[in-house]
Amino acid sequence: MPVDTEYIEQLVLEEITGVISPEDSITLKKLLEQEPEAYAIWQRMHRELTGAYVQSVRKSLQDELPVEQVFAIARRRKRRKVFIGTSLGIAASLLVGSVVYKIMLPVHEPVQPAPISMFALNSVALQLPDGQLLHLGSRQQQKVNGIIFREEDGKLSWSGGNSSDMARLMVPPGKDYAVHLPDGTDVLLNAATTLQMPLAFDDNREVTVDGEAYFTVAKDEEKPFRVHLPKSTVQVLGTSFNVNTYDSGQVKVALESGAVKLLTNDGDVSLKPGLAVHYQPGVRPTAAAFDTRAVLAWKSGYYVFENTPISVIGDVIARTYRVKVVIDSKATAEKTYSSRLEKGAPLKQFLERLKTLNNIDYQFKNGDTILHLSNRP
């Protein structure tokens, strides 16, 4: 749905300056959750309102201005393509006085673009290095900045890219998506996963994953492929493997073919096919055999649970069905369940099975957006 850009900018400016009303704050929050374009505007303004341009703007502003006058200046700058553009204008914090707001200059620090919340996306999206957001899934060819992006057989590829600057491919909850990288490597991304990658590889082949992804790496002995994970890196030549970082305290790497090495501050470990490593920072990583059927089932459209805690199942439900899962007690969270969850099946079908076989009650609130799970004695 198209958004009113000027209205969003006004709300974000009021939020940044601290004068947004409770009602408008709720409106802005809903827009950010439901409209990727709104979130992109929010991200750009927050990034650039704390950038280096602050210093030059500060010189042109009085120390104290009525808030209406601040907004008027902002709008004039926007019309001159100064406020929203390559040099976005006012960076100020307004302290509420009686009728006057004092502009306080923040300490300048470089700010990196904030990642877009997965729940703010309704479709797969590609954020280009310059901040532009491309919505994917339409299977239509798109041309941006001389780069032609194609979607064929459910897989993204492109030609014409010559920048090693990082783009960000974002797969929201309830989706999965495939991408063909410039070197010939194929990546399948699971729900709620982000892949940071260059649009063109130079002397290095390096990407970053947050979530879960399966790699089939094109072999190039002169240029090892590296996948950066939290506090660790997977180094490969040509191979097929799975990485999982959903648990913020643990990195999981499972090798199906070829050979990889996990590099960490606590030691390195080499994997052979059929072996996996679960790495926790502060603990030396070790390899062990893994159940291919359970670990890689998500690629085939389902999840396998074998004595899996409800807390873990709740996370899978949240990623698969775009709902917030609330577990009422530690006892419920620690209870285990063995079954499988089909990605395309209705959620209530799985919950009824969970209720019947494992005495786990469920209740939806706020429409179908919040799911409560509780243990029935």
Side-chain angles (χ1 to χ4, degrees):
M1 173 184 303
V3 299
D4 186 333
T5 300
E6 189 167 339
Y7 176 58
I8 300 298
E9 292 169 359
Q10 175 80 12
L11 290 178
V12 176
L13 179 61
E14 292 177 359
E15 180 210 25
I16 291 172
T17 55
V19 299
I20 191 168
S21 69
E23 295 80 8
D24 284 344
S25 180
I26 293 173
T27 298
L28 178 60
K29 182 180 178 182
K30 288 182 178 179
L31 286 168
L32 296 179
E33 291 174 348
Q34 298 172 4
E35 301 293 343
E37 292 88 351
Y39 197 95
I41 293 171
W42 180 93
Q43 177 188 347
R44 184 176 71 248
M45 291 181 69
H46 271 263
R47 180 175 70 247
E48 298 188 22
L49 282 175
T50 54
Y53 187 62
V54 170
Q55 304 297 334
S56 62
V57 173
R58 177 67 177 84
K59 294 177 182 179
S60 66
L61 293 176
Q62 303 173 21
D63 285 341
E64 295 183 353
L65 290 174
V67 69
E68 293 83 1
Q69 193 171 343
V70 172
F71 291 151
I73 292 174
R75 294 190 191 97
R76 287 199 300 273
R77 288 179 177 273
K78 178 177 180 294
R79 285 194 293 270
R80 296 200 308 267
K81 297 184 180 180
V82 173
F83 178 67
I84 299 294
T86 57
S87 55
L88 185 147
I90 305 181
S93 175
L94 298 180
L95 300 181
V96 180
S98 54
V99 293
V100 176
Y101 298 84
K102 185 176 181 63
I103 297 178
M104 308 294 292
L105 181 66
V107 176
H108 168 60
E109 293 181 358
V111 176
Q112 298 298 323
I116 295 177
S117 167
M118 288 300 173
F119 282 88
L121 293 171
N122 293 318
S123 62
V124 179
L126 177 66
Q127 187 174 36
L128 300 178
D130 64 1
Q132 291 188 69
L133 198 65
L134 299 185
H135 295 287
L136 305 173
S138 65
R139 300 183 181 179
Q140 294 182 349
Q141 179 173 297
Q142 301 184 59
K143 185 174 183 180
V144 182
N145 299 334
I147 305 174
I148 299 175
F149 295 93
R150 303 179 183 87
E151 292 183 273
E152 299 175 350
D153 299 324
K155 182 182 294 185
L156 174 69
S157 63
W158 60 89
S159 59
N162 57 12
S163 171
S164 59
D165 292 337
M166 288 291 180
R168 183 184 287 121
L169 181 62
M170 297 163 288
V171 182
K175 307 281 186 180
D176 52 38
Y177 196 73
V179 57
H180 184 73
L181 298 180
D183 69 327
T185 292
D186 288 318
V187 189
L188 178 60
L189 306 174
N190 203 352
T193 296
T194 297
L195 174 69
Q196 293 189 65
M197 58 192 179
L199 295 179
F201 289 115
D202 47 26
D203 293 334
N204 299 308
R205 297 192 296 164
E206 301 188 19
V207 300
T208 299
V209 171
D210 183 6
E212 185 169 27
Y214 183 86
F215 286 81
T216 302
V217 176
K219 190 170 184 177
D220 186 339
E221 295 185 358
E222 296 183 356
K223 298 179 181 179
F225 194 95
R226 294 181 176 87
V227 180
H228 296 291
L229 308 170
K231 299 181 187 282
S232 59
T233 296
V234 180
Q235 181 171 301
V236 304
L237 290 176
T239 184
S240 298
F241 61 99
N242 195 80
V243 298
N244 183 324
T245 70
Y246 284 137
D247 183 343
S248 61
Q250 187 177 87
V251 166
K252 302 175 184 178
V253 180
L255 179 65
E256 189 170 32
S257 67
V260 304
K261 178 182 285 188
L262 181 68
L263 312 176
T264 79
N265 290 332
D266 301 298
D268 304 336
V269 59
S270 296
L271 297 181
K272 296 180 180 180
L275 296 182
V277 57
H278 293 190
Y279 167 62
Q280 293 177 290
V283 179
R284 185 175 181 82
T286 57
F290 73 97
D291 183 346
T292 303
R293 181 180 68 94
V295 172
L296 302 181
W298 69 269
K299 294 171 53 193
S300 301
Y302 63 94
Y303 294 96
V304 174
F305 302 128
E306 295 179 351
N307 295 318
T308 304
I310 296 299
S311 59
V312 175
I313 294 174
D315 291 340
V316 174
I317 290 174
R319 293 192 298 267
T320 305
Y321 293 97
R322 295 179 64 91
V323 298
K324 180 179 180 180
V325 178
V326 178
I327 300 176
D328 74 335
S329 68
K330 182 179 180 182
T332 303
E334 294 177 347
K335 198 166 185 179
T336 60
Y337 180 61
S338 297
S339 184
R340 59 186 275 170
L341 171 63
E342 303 286 346
K343 288 185 178 182
L347 174 55
K348 288 185 179 180
Q349 178 179 306
F350 175 80
L351 294 174
E352 282 296 323
R353 193 162 69 247
L354 187 65
K355 180 178 181 179
T356 302
L357 300 179
N358 220 37
N359 294 329
I360 299 295
D361 280 331
Y362 68 91
Q363 182 181 14
F364 285 98
K365 294 186 177 180
N366 192 30
D368 288 335
T369 62
I370 300 177
L371 170 65
H372 286 261
L373 299 178
S374 58
N375 183 31
R376 176 160 44 89

